Amino acid sequence: MNLKEWVFTTDHKRVGILYLIGSVAAFVVAGIMALLMRAELSAMGPTLTANPTTYNVWLYAHGAVMILGFQIPALTGFAANYAIPLMIGAKDVAFPRLNAFSVWLFYMGVILALLTFVIPDPPDVLWTGYPPYSTITTGNTALYTFTVLLIGFASIIAGVNFITTIAYMRAKGLTWNKLNFFVWSILGSFVMQLIYVPVLGTAVLLVSFDKYLGTHFFDPTMGGDVLTYQNLFWFYSHPAVYVIFLPFMGIIMDIFATFSKNRIFNYKAAVYGGVWGIVIISGEVWIHHLYVTGMPDWLRIGQMVTTLMISVPVGLMTISLVGTLYKGSITFETPMLYALGTMFLFLVGGLTGIPLAVTSLTVNLSETYYVVGHFHYVMAVAGSLAIFSGVYYWFPKMTGRMVNETWGRIAFVFTFVGANVIFWTMMNVGVKEGLPRRYYDWAQFPQVAHDQMVMTIGSVIIGIGFAIMLLNWILSAAFGKKAGDNPWESKSLEWTTASPPPHGNWPKPPVLADDWSPYAYAKR
Amino acid sequence: MNKHSKIGAGLLALAGSAQALALDKYIPTTDRIGDPAAGWNHLWSEVLVDITIMGVLFAVVLAYLMVKFRRRPGVEGGGVKELSVGAAIGWAIIPAFIFLADDLFVAANGWQLWNLQRTVPADRLEVRLESGMYSWDYTYPNGVRTQNVLKVPAGKPVLLRMTSRDTIHNHYMPDFKVKEDSMPGRITYLWFYPKEPGKHLVTCNEYCGVSHSYMSGQVEVMPPEQYQAWYEEEGAKLKAAAAAPAATEGSAPAAAPTAGAAAQDNKKPA
Amino acid sequence: MSTLEAAHGGEAHAHWDTSIWPFVLSFGILALTLSFTLQFVYHLSLPAVIALGISLPLILGGIAGWTGEAMGTGEGLSFASMGWFILAEAMIFVSCFAAYWFGRLEAPVWPLPGSVELPKALPVLMTITLVTSSFTIHRAEHFLHEKNQSAFVQWVLITIALGLAFLGMSGFEWNHLIHEGFTIQTNLFGTVFYSITGLHGSHVLVGLGIFVAGVFPAMKGNLSPGFWRTAGLYWHFVDIIWFFVVSQVYFW
Ligand code: HEA
Ligand code: HEA
Ligand code: CUA
Ligand SMILES: [Cu+2]
């Protein structure tokens, strides 16, 4: 293997694999942070560290790295890069060099995030970086800013690249309505990235300006306003959850189709109602993260309604998912197991978002462990399981080998059980006791001692599940049994080339017949 | 960062005077006394039933299909035909309207409770709160100050007007099911209805600094007469202290005077 | 399936495309952020200068190498993708303006204490300069299509000169205002004034950079219409944004 052809590669598949390596590494680092946090919280009072700042740095590294370093790059970086050109029958993306640039910018962002662990004054602004705290802390807010900026810039140029690719480089005969659902979801996701990431970038940059250059954007004594930041931040960071959500739905939708040998149920409703419905509504709901900041009534009520309305496009996609199983011929290999797990976890996570959307319920729930439980269900575990189901799914294509099924299933059981143990308990203590999040010590809540222990045990269970999974991948990549070109018997275009595909993907660009569709399964 | 420059101070004073007026107009007031905490419990169980039905419905259908259509030797499956145009539209429009109807039902109930939560009874005790790293500083109408302990009479709604002198904090009272941020440069408000004498936790619910998790306080709900006695006694003490100015120097509370706090309403000044 | 068999064939061992420049450029950007951090967070000027000294060659070299390698490829698609990039760029300006609106609309008094009267004639002159440059680049593109290389290069150079004049005026104004005691630290308006005009100015600079990167190959006869169409689009965008800056910051 030629190292130079990997590091300097401009090939979308290799760029995708670089993204995968980087984002899984980020996941492991951030996951270890989670374990440290859980250990700290397992008992009242100082446990692992006597310094609350240390805990806050872990929490910062956990939240920021999980979202910016793991999920967004794994979905819009790895999955998009690996699968999109193959699914649309293109040789590569529109701008291969730009693509290489974005993966390396992402790595630079990860390097900055990792500097957190070596500098004397690590950032402790949590993943949200609210001023005034972020402008007066002795922690290094600039590092937070630049981590966000580099990774954000990487995804802007990736967005430009992929939108162009999908719009202009589809194979002959591949019309819009024949695209894999995953392609649509990535398109929607990147449109959102282009609109919203610049806003986040500006917000975090202005925080550093305020702190280091003496500007007054968020300083009320000089005419600024602290809430400006929160509005800008959530104007991006709410859509960001759908940037994660759309591609993960895309992955499991395609997996559902492949493993039940069916077309997607009501494809057009899921695409035009689901994906584009979300793209359109997602920009008008950010206030639901500011329900307890004193925003004006008309905004809170208005965005309560828009937030609730998100359940319509999401519901349409959910119906498509469930309906795809109908009259199918379903098999339960590991990718499908993970996808089904995603589906169940997502139902819990999505539906527990409904009370949060109701502003009058959120005045009690906001910033408690109920919220933490909600977003871990929907993002941390549903999202991660979807990403990993995608890795399992494309693993034979990437490596030419199969993942070990038995260990895949064992890993799944650990992950699924652990996830529910931790995050159900979280929602419970959030509602019942009102336990606030971002607490280094829960001394005021002695009644949650038992639950805290349960959650810590759950985190070990889920950790074991992920550890088995990673080990299984590494071993299977080296020793797994050889996979054919199309081990899942899928109709989708990426399975028509060799495993792993050569540079350029197909010797000749594929031309599609009139009745071709990625979901055209013959009645068996 | 010359936060305390002359210009800043001038601006602050201006903001203070302009906003103090606007604030009263902004807080909607009613003669009725509702109970937001009970309303919360009610709405919560309603929404919980709603989402449980939705969730169970989808999960059961999903599980059923998984089992029913698993691949079995000799059983045909897969490759179903595309929906007809009519069926496709029906499968989009009908569920969409069902979901929408459910959303609007939840939203309407939410709005109703919201009005209760944000409209403050006219007959109320008003206390100013200034939060800081890491304390809650309350100022009563007669100038009495307390720190971290909010003493209130049972049976009377309490309105808090809040601001902060440093970072953002959040005055959370789990027992009363309300919280609201307090932040520099703005005034926010919340109210609650302490019915019975007793003690309740106040805890900080917005990350504000290293000791965030230790920033707590207490609402002490007292029998009305007892409260009245305490209130008057403290007020008298304050007067006496003011009459003997020399003595006040040392005994002034640690907190900065609330009167000088930045005061900016949620709305543009009228 | 014949395609499939071919895919397994000898071509699997074929050469994979590589480019070193994106890699170099990304390290340059990393070093740039470190330079800022060293200077403004840790106040270590010497290391900051060293980091900057590492960063700038990497960035400039990366861009030069990249354009040298890629000039003339990706023709058809760069114009369309620039449209999407401009969407993202526009959102940066929108967020800065939003911060300004938020502060201004809620301020109890305006102008804020400490603000100064901004000059009125200079921004008009700057507007004229920038608008003219939009026309000159359009003119240049016209000669490009006529394959008139010398006229094309000439008009591009005129455009560059106008852009530089614009930046010169902006610098003059900043200098003047700072001497009057109105700085980025004065109050929210100072903050907004310098940030927004600075942000816009940096876009002018980037636009000029694009022109310069393209004008040397153009002198040597490498006229790539796709590149210039895209560069022109970016320049028009920078021009249009200026109208918002003028109207919101100078004349509101
Ligand atoms: C992938 C990530 C992801 C996704 C998809 C979602 C989805 C949703 N989220 Fe979540 N959310 C987060 C990640 C995510 N969230 C994160 C990270 C935070 C915290 C950030 C922080 O503060 O650090 C957060 C916080 C958060 C808040 C703020 C809480 C607070 O801080 O006070 C709110 C409030 O409205 C909310 C609501 C919702 C809603 C309504 C949805 C909806 O999209 C869910 C829609 C899905 C369903 C409803 C289920 C399926 C649909 C059906 C079965 C159809 C029928 C259903 C009905 C008609 C009800 N979320
Ligand atoms: C995608 C996002 C994502 C993911 C996957 C996770 C995963 C996990 N999270 Fe995280 N979390 C967030 C996003 C995420 N989280 C965010 C955004 C916040 C808010 C931050 C903020 O407030 O600013 C948060 C906050 C948060 C808190 C709240 C802390 C507080 O408010 O004080 C807690 C507490 O328990 C927690 C726990 C966990 C646990 C136990 C996992 C587990 O699922 C992790 C499991 C992973 C591993 C364990 C690593 C992989 C395995 C190995 C390396 C092998 C070795 C391990 C063993 C053998 C055990 N998270
Ligand atoms: Cu005060 Cu958190
Ligand atoms: Cu949200």
Side-chain angles (χ1 to χ4, degrees):
Chain A
M1 205 164 57
N2 186 336
L3 192 66
K4 203 185 116 230
E5 286 190 357
W6 274 96
V7 175
F8 302 133
T9 187
T10 58
D11 183 89
H12 73 95
K13 298 180 291 298
R14 294 194 163 182
V15 168
I17 290 172
L18 288 177
Y19 260 119
L20 179 64
I21 294 170
S23 54
V24 169
F27 168 72
V28 170
V29 172
I32 290 170
M33 294 302 110
L35 293 178
L36 291 176
M37 276 152 47
R38 282 310 332 158
E40 176 56 51
L41 294 173
S42 61
M44 201 193 288
T47 322
L48 258 196
T49 170
N51 182 358
T53 303
T54 311
Y55 176 86
N56 292 328
V57 172
W58 294 339
L59 182 53
Y60 159 73
H62 172 70
V65 172
M66 278 292 188
I67 293 180
L68 296 167
F70 165 51
Q71 295 220 316
I72 293 182
L75 289 161
T76 63
F78 155 68
N81 261 297
Y82 200 86
I84 294 286
L86 286 172
M87 279 180 170
I88 65 174
K91 260 170 60 183
D92 206 320
V93 294
F95 307 106
R97 283 183 196 78
L98 212 54
N99 206 19
F101 185 42
S102 67
V103 73
W104 285 111
L105 268 182
F106 155 67
Y107 270 89
M108 298 308 135
V110 172
I111 290 177
L112 286 181
L114 293 180
L115 284 182
T116 300
F117 303 117
V118 295
I119 57 173
D121 55 347
D124 60 343
V125 295
L126 314 185
W127 89 279
T128 45
Y130 283 5
Y133 182 71
S134 57
T135 59
I136 63 168
T137 169
T138 52
N140 187 340
T141 307
L143 207 55
Y144 165 72
T145 297
F146 289 129
T147 306
V148 174
L149 279 186
L150 292 199
I151 295 179
F153 189 39
S155 60
I156 289 178
I157 53 187
V160 170
N161 208 342
F162 275 90
I163 292 176
T164 315
T165 307
I166 296 171
Y168 298 106
M169 295 182 63
R170 280 166 290 132
K172 264 216 178 66
L174 185 48
T175 57
W176 288 103
N177 283 329
K178 285 184 181 176
L179 288 178
N180 285 66
F181 183 80
F182 177 70
V183 179
W184 278 112
S185 70
I186 284 290
L187 193 62
S189 188
F190 272 128
V191 168
M192 286 195 283
Q193 287 286 68
L194 283 188
I195 299 175
Y196 301 112
V197 170
V199 182
L200 172 74
T202 309
V204 296
L205 189 62
L206 298 187
V207 160
S208 272
F209 277 11
D210 266 17
K211 179 162 183 189
Y212 298 111
L213 304 182
T215 60
H216 304 291
F217 285 103
F218 312 123
D219 171 9
T221 61
M222 301 294 251
D225 188 336
V226 287
L227 283 186
T228 305
Y229 177 84
Q230 297 183 24
N231 277 284
L232 293 178
F233 181 87
W234 289 111
F235 190 68
Y236 165 73
S237 291
H238 178 79
V241 311
Y242 297 122
V243 167
I244 293 171
F245 168 67
L246 283 183
F248 93 52
M249 277 305 236
I251 293 178
I252 65 172
M253 196 80 92
D254 268 73
I255 291 179
F256 268 42
T258 294
F259 288 90
S260 42
K261 301 286 172 288
N262 243 343
R263 73 177 68 246
I264 287 173
F265 181 80
N266 216 355
Y267 170 91
K268 285 183 187 163
V271 169
Y272 300 106
V275 173
W276 294 105
I278 283 194
V279 171
I280 289 165
I281 306 180
S282 68
E284 292 86 42
V285 302
W286 79 94
I287 294 291
H288 69 224
H289 296 275
L290 285 85
Y291 277 159
V292 294
T293 58
M295 293 306 287
D297 284 351
W298 61 273
L299 266 175
R300 296 201 227 193
I301 294 296
Q303 300 217 353
M304 164 171 78
V305 177
T306 46
T307 304
L308 285 167
M309 270 162 54
I310 290 270
S311 64
V312 175
V314 177
L316 289 178
M317 283 195 258
T318 313
I319 290 181
S320 289
L321 272 170
V322 176
T324 301
L325 300 184
Y326 180 66
K327 287 199 174 163
S329 172
I330 310 167
T331 52
F332 297 92
E333 286 92 344
T334 315
M336 184 63 171
L337 271 189
Y338 273 71
L340 285 166
T342 303
M343 183 69 225
F344 280 107
L345 295 169
F346 172 69
L347 272 181
V348 179
L351 288 167
T352 51
I354 297 298
L356 284 174
V358 181
T359 169
S360 38
L361 289 179
T362 304
V363 297
N364 182 31
L365 300 172
S366 183
E367 296 291 315
T368 64
Y369 265 83
Y370 180 82
V371 177
V372 183
H374 153 71
F375 71 72
H376 276 89
Y377 256 106
V378 72
M379 175 169 71
V381 283
S384 303
L385 257 59
I387 291 169
F388 298 144
S389 73
V391 178
Y392 278 114
Y393 180 54
W394 288 306
F395 195 90
K397 184 86 338 196
M398 286 189 281
T399 62
R401 292 176 188 276
M402 300 299 289
V403 192
N404 183 309
E405 272 294 319
T406 318
W407 285 106
R409 284 170 195 213
I410 294 174
F412 172 75
V413 171
F414 273 98
T415 315
F416 193 77
V417 170
N420 285 298
V421 168
I422 316 175
F423 302 122
W424 190 270
T425 318
M426 272 190 188
M427 294 199 292
N428 229 358
V429 292
V431 179
K432 294 234 174 74
E433 315 294 347
L435 179 65
R437 63 192 280 208
R438 296 170 169 181
Y439 266 25
Y440 153 75
D441 186 1
W442 34 276
Q444 306 156 44
F445 293 87
Q447 67 273 34
V448 302
H450 175 73
D451 300 292
Q452 292 284 17
M453 201 42 154
V454 169
M455 289 191 270
T456 302
I457 293 170
S459 71
V460 174
I461 301 178
I462 197 174
I464 293 173
F466 286 137
I468 297 176
M469 177 190 76
L470 296 178
L471 217 62
N472 190 7
W473 288 350
I474 293 169
L475 293 178
S476 299
F479 310 113
K481 84 173 185 288
K482 284 254 188 289
D485 292 337
N486 189 1
W488 314 124
E489 296 167 11
S490 171
K491 293 285 178 187
S492 179
L493 210 50
E494 78 262 35
W495 300 102
T496 62
T497 180
S499 300
H503 188 50
N505 297 341
W506 288 272
K508 270 188 294 174
V511 177
L512 304 173
D514 273 352
D515 60 351
W516 180 89
S517 142
Y519 307 121
Y521 292 93
K523 191 94 182 150
R524 47 173 70 247
Chain B
M1 272 218 274
N2 46 348
K3 275 200 170 166
H4 300 292
S5 70
K6 269 192 205 140
I7 299 162
L11 190 61
L12 210 77
L14 268 168
S17 57
Q19 298 289 337
L21 294 168
L23 189 68
D24 272 339
K25 263 203 252 162
Y26 175 59
I27 298 182
T29 296
T30 172
D31 291 333
R32 214 163 42 88
I33 299 184
D35 186 353
W40 191 92
N41 286 328
H42 179 74
L43 184 60
W44 166 254
S45 39
E46 212 171 85
V47 174
L48 199 61
V49 170
D50 188 311
I51 60 177
T52 308
I53 293 175
M54 284 288 179
V56 169
L57 200 75
F58 274 85
V60 165
V61 172
L62 186 67
Y64 171 76
L65 295 179
M66 262 166 66
V67 177
K68 177 89 202 286
F69 296 109
R70 68 186 187 278
R71 183 179 293 175
R72 278 165 299 179
V75 181
E76 292 216 332
V80 290
K81 278 224 230 30
E82 213 167 337
L83 291 180
S84 70
V85 176
I89 292 175
W91 271 104
I93 299 288
I94 296 172
F97 274 97
I98 296 175
F99 298 155
L100 197 62
D102 188 36
D103 292 339
L104 293 180
F105 168 76
V106 173
N109 282 309
W111 194 354
Q112 200 175 5
L113 177 60
W114 173 250
N115 287 337
L116 178 64
Q117 281 166 336
R118 301 304 290 172
T119 317
V120 191
D123 175 27
R124 66 201 180 201
L125 169 65
E126 283 193 30
V127 180
R128 283 176 179 274
L129 162 66
E130 189 187 80
S131 56
M133 292 152 91
Y134 301 91
S135 71
W136 308 107
D137 300 329
Y138 304 99
T139 307
Y140 287 80
N142 66 355
V144 167
R145 294 159 174 285
T146 60
Q147 195 168 52
N148 292 338
V149 183
L150 175 61
K151 292 180 192 258
V152 296
K156 189 163 185 155
V158 182
L159 170 69
L160 290 179
R161 298 181 185 222
M162 307 181 290
T163 187
S164 172
R165 60 174 169 269
D166 39 47
T167 56
I168 305 174
H169 304 268
N170 185 305
H171 195 269
Y172 180 31
M173 297 172 288
D175 290 345
F176 296 106
K177 312 274 185 227
V178 288
K179 61 165 70 81
E180 188 91 0
D181 282 355
S182 58
M183 66 198 94
R186 280 172 178 262
I187 285 188
T188 51
Y189 75 94
L190 68 75
W191 76 277
F192 61 102
Y193 187 27
K195 285 198 275 200
E196 307 281 319
K199 290 186 174 166
H200 305 274
L201 178 69
V202 175
T203 188
C204 183
N205 203 199
E206 178 64 53
Y207 183 72
C208 53
V210 182
S211 298
H212 164 58
S213 66
Y214 294 110
M215 182 167 168
S216 66
Q218 205 175 47
V219 180
E220 197 178 322
V221 188
M222 304 162 104
E225 324 72 59
Q226 213 177 322
Y227 168 81
Q228 201 56 32
W230 170 84
Y231 184 68
E232 274 158 21
E233 186 187 333
E234 292 295 313
K237 269 195 218 156
L238 201 69
K239 268 215 192 93
T248 49
E249 295 290 320
S251 63
T258 342
Q264 198 172 328
D265 188 16
N266 299 299
K267 292 223 168 147
K268 219 177 134 179
Chain C
M1 268 212 145
S2 62
T3 29
L4 200 57
E5 277 148 26
H8 282 294
E11 265 181 307
H13 301 288
H15 162 76
W16 290 63
D17 283 347
T18 58
S19 170
I20 185 174
W21 303 114
F23 189 75
V24 169
L25 189 55
S26 64
F27 269 97
I29 290 176
L30 178 71
L32 193 64
T33 65
L34 292 180
S35 165
F36 179 99
T37 310
L38 289 167
Q39 173 64 37
F40 291 104
V41 180
Y42 299 114
H43 306 290
L44 299 170
S45 298
L46 185 63
V49 171
I50 294 174
L52 195 65
I54 297 172
S55 157
L56 290 182
L58 288 181
I59 292 182
L60 295 177
I63 294 175
W66 190 331
T67 30
E69 200 175 85
M71 179 62 96
T73 61
E75 296 276 284
L77 298 181
S78 53
F79 186 70
S81 61
M82 181 52 88
W84 287 100
F85 184 67
I86 283 175
L87 171 66
E89 288 270 33
M91 290 307 290
I92 300 182
F93 282 94
V94 169
S95 343
C96 284
F97 279 120
Y100 172 40
W101 294 328
F102 247 100
R104 177 155 187 171
L105 293 175
E106 298 197 341
V109 286
W110 198 272
L112 295 172
S115 300
V116 294
E117 191 72 25
L118 292 179
K120 293 285 185 248
L122 195 60
V124 174
L125 191 60
M126 288 164 82
T127 312
I128 294 172
T129 313
L130 209 56
V131 172
T132 314
S133 77
S134 246
F135 282 109
T136 55
I137 192 69
H138 193 72
R139 193 87 197 124
E141 275 185 66
H142 169 76
F143 286 114
L144 183 67
H145 290 303
E146 298 198 336
K147 304 262 187 313
N148 185 343
Q149 186 197 346
S150 63
F152 165 70
V153 170
Q154 200 180 340
W155 282 101
V156 171
L157 290 177
I158 293 175
T159 311
I160 294 179
L162 287 170
L164 286 174
F166 176 88
L167 286 181
M169 285 186 264
S170 195
F172 170 80
E173 185 190 30
W174 277 26
N175 189 26
H176 171 76
L177 289 173
I178 290 171
H179 275 288
E180 275 187 35
F182 183 64
T183 69
I184 196 167
Q185 303 191 345
T186 301
N187 56 29
L188 179 72
F189 188 62
T191 293
V192 163
F193 174 78
Y194 288 99
S195 312
I196 292 186
T197 53
L199 180 67
H200 179 266
S202 70
H203 280 72
V204 175
L205 201 63
V206 170
L208 291 179
I210 297 176
F211 290 158
V212 171
V215 82
F216 289 110
M219 283 172 177
K220 289 197 214 113
N222 184 354
L223 299 172
S224 109
F227 176 89
W228 287 103
R229 219 154 68 98
T230 311
L233 181 63
Y234 186 79
W235 192 253
H236 294 315
F237 159 73
V238 171
D239 188 9
I240 289 169
I241 286 289
W242 175 251
F243 287 111
F244 289 91
V245 178
V246 170
S247 63
Q248 298 294 299
V249 176
Y250 288 91
F251 291 105
W252 176 21

